[in-house]
Coordinates of all heavy atoms in Angstrom, one line a residue:
K226 N 0.8 -1.2 0.0 CA 0.0 0.0 0.0 C 0.9 1.2 0.0 O 1.9 1.3 0.7 CB -0.9 0.0 1.2 CG -1.9 1.1 1.3 CD -2.8 1.0 2.5 CE -3.8 2.2 2.5 NZ -4.6 2.2 3.6
L227 N 0.5 2.2 -0.8 CA 1.2 3.5 -0.8 C 0.4 4.4 0.1 O -0.8 4.4 0.2 CB 1.2 4.1 -2.2 CG 2.1 3.4 -3.2 CD1 1.9 4.1 -4.6 CD2 3.5 3.5 -2.8
P228 N 1.1 5.3 0.8 CA 0.4 6.3 1.7 C -0.3 7.3 0.9 O 0.1 7.7 -0.2 CB 1.5 6.9 2.6 CG 2.7 6.8 1.7 CD 2.5 5.6 0.8
D229 N -1.4 7.8 1.5 CA -2.1 9.0 0.8 C -1.3 10.2 0.8 O -1.5 11.0 -0.1 CB -3.4 9.3 1.6 CG -4.5 8.2 1.4 OD1 -4.4 7.5 0.4 OD2 -5.4 8.1 2.3
S230 N -0.3 10.3 1.6 CA 0.6 11.5 1.7 C 1.5 11.6 0.4 O 2.2 12.6 0.3 CB 1.5 11.4 2.9 OG 2.3 10.3 2.9
I231 N 1.4 10.6 -0.5 CA 2.2 10.7 -1.7 C 1.8 11.9 -2.5 O 2.5 12.5 -3.3 CB 2.1 9.4 -2.5 CG1 3.2 9.3 -3.6 CG2 0.7 9.2 -3.2 CD1 3.6 8.0 -4.1
S232 N 0.5 12.3 -2.3 CA 0.0 13.5 -3.0 C 0.7 14.8 -2.6 O 0.6 15.8 -3.3 CB -1.5 13.7 -2.7 OG -1.7 13.9 -1.3
D233 N 1.5 14.8 -1.5 CA 2.2 16.0 -1.1 C 3.5 16.2 -1.9 O 4.1 17.2 -1.8 CB 2.7 15.8 0.4 CG 1.5 15.8 1.3 OD1 0.4 16.4 1.0 OD2 1.6 15.3 2.5
L234 N 3.8 15.2 -2.7 CA 5.0 15.3 -3.6 C 4.7 16.0 -4.9 O 4.7 15.4 -6.0 CB 5.6 13.9 -3.8 CG 6.0 13.1 -2.6 CD1 6.5 11.7 -3.0 CD2 7.0 13.9 -1.8
K235 N 4.3 17.3 -4.8 CA 3.8 18.1 -5.9 C 4.8 18.2 -7.1 O 4.4 18.5 -8.2 CB 3.4 19.5 -5.5 CG 2.3 19.4 -4.4 CD 1.0 18.9 -5.0 CE -0.1 19.0 -4.0 NZ -1.3 18.2 -4.3
H236 N 6.1 18.1 -6.8 CA 7.1 18.2 -7.8 C 7.5 16.9 -8.5 O 8.3 16.9 -9.4 CB 8.3 18.9 -7.3 CG 8.1 20.3 -6.7 ND1 7.9 21.4 -7.5 CD2 7.9 20.7 -5.4 CE1 7.7 22.4 -6.7 NE2 7.6 22.0 -5.5
L237 N 6.9 15.8 -8.1 CA 7.3 14.5 -8.6 C 7.0 14.4 -10.1 O 5.9 14.7 -10.5 CB 6.5 13.4 -7.8 CG 7.0 12.0 -7.9 CD1 8.4 11.9 -7.3 CD2 6.1 11.0 -7.3
R238 N 8.0 14.0 -10.8 CA 7.9 13.8 -12.3 C 8.0 12.3 -12.7 O 7.4 12.0 -13.7 CB 9.1 14.5 -13.0 CG 9.3 16.0 -12.6 CD 8.3 16.8 -13.4 NE 8.6 18.2 -13.4 CZ 8.4 19.1 -12.5 NH1 7.8 18.7 -11.4 NH2 8.7 20.3 -12.6
Y239 N 8.6 11.5 -11.9 CA 8.9 10.1 -12.2 C 8.6 9.2 -11.0 O 9.1 9.4 -10.0 CB 10.4 10.0 -12.6 CG 10.8 8.6 -13.1 CD1 10.9 8.4 -14.5 CD2 11.2 7.6 -12.2 CE1 11.3 7.1 -14.9 CE2 11.6 6.4 -12.7 CZ 11.7 6.2 -14.0 OH 12.1 4.9 -14.5
L240 N 7.6 8.3 -11.2 CA 7.2 7.4 -10.2 C 7.4 5.9 -10.7 O 6.6 5.5 -11.6 CB 5.8 7.7 -9.7 CG 5.2 6.8 -8.6 CD1 6.0 6.9 -7.3 CD2 3.8 7.2 -8.3
D241 N 8.3 5.2 -10.1 CA 8.5 3.8 -10.4 C 8.0 2.9 -9.3 O 8.5 2.8 -8.2 CB 10.0 3.5 -10.7 CG 10.3 2.1 -11.1 OD1 9.4 1.3 -11.1 OD2 11.5 1.9 -11.4
L242 N 6.9 2.1 -9.7 CA 6.3 1.2 -8.7 C 6.4 -0.2 -9.3 O 5.6 -1.1 -8.9 CB 4.8 1.6 -8.4 CG 4.6 3.0 -7.9 CD1 3.2 3.4 -7.8 CD2 5.3 3.2 -6.5
C243 N 7.3 -0.5 -10.2 CA 7.4 -1.8 -10.8 C 7.6 -2.9 -9.8 O 8.4 -2.8 -8.9 CB 8.5 -1.8 -11.8 SG 8.3 -0.8 -13.2
H244 N 6.9 -4.0 -10.0 CA 7.0 -5.2 -9.2 C 6.8 -5.0 -7.7 O 7.5 -5.6 -6.9 CB 8.4 -5.9 -9.5 CG 8.6 -6.1 -11.0 ND1 8.0 -7.2 -11.6 CD2 9.3 -5.4 -11.9 CE1 8.4 -7.2 -12.9 NE2 9.1 -6.1 -13.1
I245 N 5.8 -4.2 -7.3 CA 5.5 -4.2 -5.9 C 4.1 -4.8 -5.8 O 3.4 -5.1 -6.8 CB 5.5 -2.7 -5.3 CG1 4.5 -1.8 -6.0 CG2 6.9 -2.2 -5.5 CD1 4.3 -0.5 -5.3
N246 N 3.6 -5.1 -4.6 CA 2.4 -5.9 -4.3 C 1.2 -5.0 -4.0 O 0.3 -5.4 -3.3 CB 2.7 -6.8 -3.2 CG 3.8 -7.8 -3.5 OD1 4.0 -8.2 -4.6 ND2 4.5 -8.2 -2.5
I247 N 1.1 -3.9 -4.7 CA -0.1 -3.0 -4.4 C -1.3 -3.6 -5.1 O -1.2 -4.2 -6.2 CB 0.1 -1.6 -4.8 CG1 0.5 -1.5 -6.3 CG2 1.1 -0.9 -3.9 CD1 0.6 -0.1 -6.8
I248 N -2.5 -3.4 -4.5 CA -3.8 -3.8 -5.2 C -4.4 -2.7 -5.8 O -5.0 -2.8 -6.9 CB -4.7 -4.5 -4.1 CG1 -4.0 -5.7 -3.5 CG2 -6.1 -4.8 -4.7 CD1 -4.7 -6.3 -2.3
T249 N -4.4 -1.5 -5.2 CA -4.9 -0.3 -5.8 C -3.9 0.9 -5.6 O -3.1 0.8 -4.6 CB -6.3 0.1 -5.3 OG1 -6.1 0.4 -3.9 CG2 -7.3 -0.9 -5.5
L250 N -4.0 1.9 -6.4 CA -3.2 3.1 -6.1 C -4.1 4.0 -5.4 O -5.3 4.1 -5.6 CB -2.8 3.8 -7.5 CG -1.8 3.1 -8.3 CD1 -1.6 3.8 -9.6 CD2 -0.4 3.1 -7.6
P251 N -3.6 4.8 -4.4 CA -4.5 5.7 -3.7 C -5.0 6.7 -4.6 O -4.4 7.2 -5.6 CB -3.6 6.3 -2.6 CG -2.2 5.9 -2.9 CD -2.2 4.8 -4.0
E252 N -6.3 7.2 -4.4 CA -6.9 8.2 -5.2 C -6.1 9.5 -5.2 O -6.0 10.2 -6.1 CB -8.3 8.5 -4.7 CG -9.3 7.5 -5.1 CD -9.6 7.3 -6.5 OE1 -9.6 8.4 -7.3 OE2 -9.9 6.2 -7.0
T253 N -5.3 9.7 -4.1 CA -4.5 10.9 -4.0 C -3.4 10.9 -5.0 O -2.8 12.0 -5.2 CB -3.9 11.0 -2.5 OG1 -3.2 9.9 -2.2 CG2 -5.0 11.2 -1.5
T254 N -3.1 9.8 -5.6 CA -2.0 9.8 -6.6 C -2.4 10.7 -7.8 O -1.5 11.2 -8.4 CB -1.9 8.3 -7.1 OG1 -1.6 7.4 -6.0 CG2 -0.7 8.2 -8.1
T255 N -3.6 10.9 -8.0 CA -4.1 11.7 -9.1 C -3.9 13.2 -8.9 O -4.1 13.9 -9.9 CB -5.5 11.4 -9.5 OG1 -6.4 11.7 -8.4 CG2 -5.7 9.9 -9.9
S256 N -3.4 13.6 -7.8 CA -3.1 15.0 -7.5 C -1.7 15.3 -7.9 O -1.3 16.5 -7.7 CB -3.5 15.4 -6.1 OG -2.6 14.8 -5.2
L257 N -0.9 14.3 -8.4 CA 0.4 14.6 -8.8 C 0.4 15.2 -10.2 O 0.8 14.5 -11.2 CB 1.2 13.3 -8.8 CG 1.4 12.6 -7.4 CD1 2.0 11.2 -7.5 CD2 2.2 13.5 -6.5
C258 N 0.0 16.4 -10.3 CA -0.2 17.0 -11.6 C 1.0 17.2 -12.5 O 0.9 17.4 -13.7 CB -1.0 18.3 -11.5 SG -0.2 19.5 -10.5
N259 N 2.2 17.2 -11.9 CA 3.5 17.3 -12.6 C 4.1 16.0 -13.0 O 5.1 15.9 -13.7 CB 4.5 18.1 -11.8 CG 4.1 19.5 -11.7 OD1 3.8 20.2 -12.7 ND2 4.1 20.0 -10.4

C-alpha cells in the first residue's frame, strides 16, 4: 500500500512502482499534476 501522503510530492515527475504488491493506487495519486 502507498500512503495517501504521496500527494504531497507536488514536484514529482517520475514514479517507479514496478514489481510491488499493491492492489490499488491511492486516489490521492491523481493529484500529482506534474
Side-chain angles (χ1 to χ4, degrees):
K226 185 177 180 183
L227 290 176
D229 287 336
S230 63
I231 197 160
S232 64
D233 295 335
L234 303 176
K235 299 293 183 195
H236 299 283
L237 197 65
R238 304 283 196 275
Y239 183 96
L240 180 59
D241 182 353
L242 302 173
C243 291
H244 303 282
I245 65 171
N246 297 328
I247 56 173
I248 296 171
T249 62
L250 289 172
E252 286 294 327
T253 58
T254 307
T255 62
S256 67
L257 298 171
C258 58
N259 291 310

